[in-house]
Amino acid sequence: MIKGRFLMVGAGLSGAVIGRELAEQGHEVTILDSRNHIGGNCHTARDAETGVMVHVYGPHIFHTDDEGVWDYVNRYARFMPYKNRVKTTSQGQVFSLPVNLHTINQFFGRTMRPDEAHAFITEEQADTSIADPQSFEEQAMRFVGRELYEAFFKGYTIKQWGCHPSELPASILKRLPVRFNYDDNYFFHRFQGMPENGYTEMIAGILDHPLITVKLNTLFDRSMGDDYDHVFYSGPLDGYFGYELGRLGYRTLDFERFTYDGDYQGCAVMNYGEEHVPYTRITEHKHFSPWETHESSICYREFSRAAGPDDIPYYPIRQVKEKELLREYVELARKTRKVTFVGRLGTYRYLDMDVTIREALDIAEFALTAWSEGKEMQPFFVPVL
Ligand code: FAD
Ligand code: UDP
């Protein structure tokens, strides 16, 4: 079979995984990234002074139900056991998240058993007149009721998304469970863990192949694609088209870094549920590596705001206005030959790491089959709405 030459735009998980799969089949792969490091937003780096492994673009916890993806990541990193246990500060107290029996009993000053708490929330707190919650606010009112909503979700969500929860879809809150037991694991997937030496080392392992060349500090421009058989583009979808129809909206994050001598907050992530505290959460990075010992600590206060043209895009907003524009860009993308739009920016979706890897593996498989049959290598993965 004739071997191809492929260009990956972006050395994050999407570009790395697709590139590796193609290289494994003997194709020549160039991966470029405008940043000065690999790993995309999953990038981790040890702080030179304290030795703490820092999640540079915000906290990343690996969790999945996909055994194939779990096997894949374990080929490139040793995963250490890690359970994400999040706390939240509200009304002068610290509570456990996601909302569980401890949260409910502490908040209402009670000692209810599971069935009592369930009856209490559904009969005395939840607004059962809302049959089919559409907005974030309705979803919260329907499942936990006004008091818990106002303490833990309303202020946090206004800060995180910059709009009122009544303007956001219910799906955002549906990501979080409500539990009537003392299980405080933030995620409910079968596999959960943290790569022993960070995500960047894991991604370096994926990229370590003789047919892969990585070029950092290199901004993609469309003419570069002419030298390759096909481009896999994990940059922003609207950016590929020079923002000709306007910009898709994103939230960006500002991290205010500070150090502390000792243990600052006793856990990795402390949320702040109230609107008057300007940041959404504080991350204390050394707690992501509980198997390591560090005297000093590195913390990030995290602030969310609308992304401007020069900011890093983090969370796609995906409200009505953005979805209309997205539909137009998707039409342009469909007409674009020899380019596949991939990953969280290329498809304008919030994607967890495991979903990113699964899609990358599926895209590579599709592309390789198409190549071997002499067909077009262009699957399109954006479920628009
Ligand atoms: P990215 O990581 O964004 O990589 C894209 C790369 O393309 C970047 O390196 C960028 O520099 C490069 N690029 C873009 N445009 C160009 C261009 N024109 N030229 C050259 N290079 C370009 N997932 C989880 O599973 N668990 C978590 O706990 C979790 N926490 C998260 C927390 C935050 C704050 C955020 C925002 C995301 C989180 N995620 C988490 C999701 C995770 O970050 C993504 O799944 C992952 O980063 C997607 O990888 P990607 O390669 O598609 O995109
Ligand atoms: N959320 C909240 N309070 C919290 C944690 C989460 O109101 O303490 C809301 C917030 O709107 C967030 C959504 O629930 O976007 C989903 O939570 P998740 O932890 O999945 O947030 P993300 O990964 O989007 O940061």
Side-chain angles (χ1 to χ4, degrees):
M1 191 186 43
I2 301 166
K3 299 301 177 191
R5 294 185 72 228
F6 298 109
L7 180 66
M8 310 287 134
V9 180
L13 272 177
S14 297
V17 172
I18 298 172
R20 177 69 187 232
E21 293 299 295
L22 299 184
E24 287 288 333
Q25 297 310 313
H27 300 292
E28 206 179 292
V29 173
T30 301
I31 306 190
L32 54 89
D33 204 298
S34 51
R35 294 178 177 172
N36 63 1
H37 60 75
I38 62 165
N41 271 15
C42 306
H43 177 50
T44 46
R46 265 194 205 285
D47 175 62
E49 212 176 298
T50 59
V52 170
M53 185 64 80
V54 174
H55 292 206
V56 177
Y57 299 92
H60 277 71
I61 297 98
F62 198 91
H63 55 98
T64 190
D65 264 339
D66 186 329
E67 206 162 347
V69 168
W70 183 241
D71 288 344
Y72 183 88
V73 292
N74 276 276
R75 288 217 291 278
Y76 298 103
R78 178 163 174 230
F79 269 75
M80 303 298 279
Y82 185 86
K83 290 263 183 295
N84 194 27
R85 295 204 165 86
V86 177
K87 305 290 176 210
T88 184
T89 297
S90 188
Q91 303 177 0
Q93 288 189 65
V94 175
F95 295 93
S96 162
L97 279 185
V99 171
N100 62 66
L101 192 48
H102 202 151
T103 325
I104 296 167
N105 273 331
Q106 182 187 350
F107 188 81
F108 293 102
R110 305 277 289 270
T111 56
M112 292 178 280
R113 290 183 293 107
D115 51 353
E116 291 169 335
H118 188 265
F120 171 74
I121 293 292
T122 49
E123 288 160 24
E124 294 179 42
Q125 292 293 315
D127 182 348
T128 47
S129 70
I130 305 169
D132 182 19
Q134 295 299 312
S135 69
F136 183 110
E137 185 171 47
E138 284 178 356
Q139 175 77 11
M141 299 298 279
R142 173 71 185 79
F143 286 95
V144 294
R146 182 169 297 282
E147 288 182 65
L148 291 168
Y149 161 62
E150 289 192 342
F152 302 131
F153 299 113
K154 188 178 171 191
Y156 187 100
T157 297
I158 290 172
K159 291 186 286 187
Q160 170 82 353
W161 293 101
C163 64
H164 196 273
S166 58
E167 297 168 52
L168 291 166
S171 56
I172 295 183
L173 185 57
K174 283 184 190 159
R175 300 213 282 258
L176 298 184
V178 176
R179 300 207 183 100
F180 295 100
N181 57 33
Y182 290 99
D183 180 1
D184 63 350
N185 186 351
Y186 203 71
F187 302 118
F188 37 83
H189 285 147
R190 260 190 312 159
F191 308 106
Q192 194 173 158
M194 199 61 87
E196 186 178 25
N197 295 310
Y199 293 100
T200 296
E201 189 191 77
M202 175 180 95
I203 294 169
I206 299 173
L207 293 171
D208 182 16
H209 188 283
L211 288 174
I212 296 180
T213 306
V214 179
K215 292 182 181 163
L216 298 176
N217 303 306
T218 309
L219 187 65
F220 171 73
D221 93 61
R222 273 195 311 210
S223 65
M224 292 174 178
D226 299 344
D227 299 336
Y228 297 88
D229 292 302
H230 197 87
V231 177
F232 294 84
Y233 176 85
S234 71
L237 177 60
D238 50 357
Y240 182 87
F241 298 102
Y243 307 99
E244 65 181 70
L245 305 172
R247 282 181 180 266
L248 291 165
Y250 279 94
R251 300 291 289 173
T252 192
L253 301 175
D254 295 318
F255 298 108
E256 193 178 276
R257 182 184 184 280
F258 63 97
T259 51
Y260 187 79
D261 234 1
D263 190 355
Y264 179 72
Q265 61 184 17
C267 64
V269 180
M270 174 68 74
N271 290 357
Y272 287 83
E274 291 165 314
E275 202 182 343
H276 67 84
V277 178
Y279 39 90
T280 50
R281 56 184 176 181
I282 296 180
T283 297
E284 185 166 12
H285 294 266
K286 70 178 177 182
H287 292 301
F288 287 128
S289 312
W291 58 92
E292 295 180 0
T293 312
H294 300 281
E295 288 306 318
S296 305
S297 207
I298 308 265
C299 301
Y300 275 11
R301 276 189 204 95
E302 185 172 324
F303 301 80
S304 170
R305 63 179 168 83
D310 298 325
D311 294 318
I312 299 174
Y314 280 90
Y315 293 98
I317 295 177
R318 277 190 164 256
Q319 282 177 274
V320 177
K321 182 164 62 87
E322 284 81 15
K323 283 182 183 170
E324 278 165 15
L325 187 56
L326 174 61
R327 206 175 275 123
E328 293 177 38
Y329 275 118
V330 167
E331 279 316 305
L332 284 185
R334 280 191 205 287
K335 290 186 201 133
T336 307
R337 301 272 73 94
K338 289 175 58 178
V339 182
T340 305
F341 294 84
V342 301
R344 61 176 205 100
L345 298 170
T347 64
Y348 191 59
R349 283 175 299 159
Y350 178 86
L351 295 180
D352 273 326
M353 291 182 278
D354 62 326
V355 181
T356 305
I357 294 170
R358 168 50 58 205
E359 290 196 356
L361 290 170
D362 290 348
I363 288 168
E365 191 184 332
F366 178 98
L368 284 164
T369 307
W371 177 266
S372 67
E373 293 171 355
K375 294 183 185 153
E376 207 167 340
M377 301 173 76
Q378 194 159 345
F380 203 85
F381 271 73
V382 182
V384 176
L385 299 171

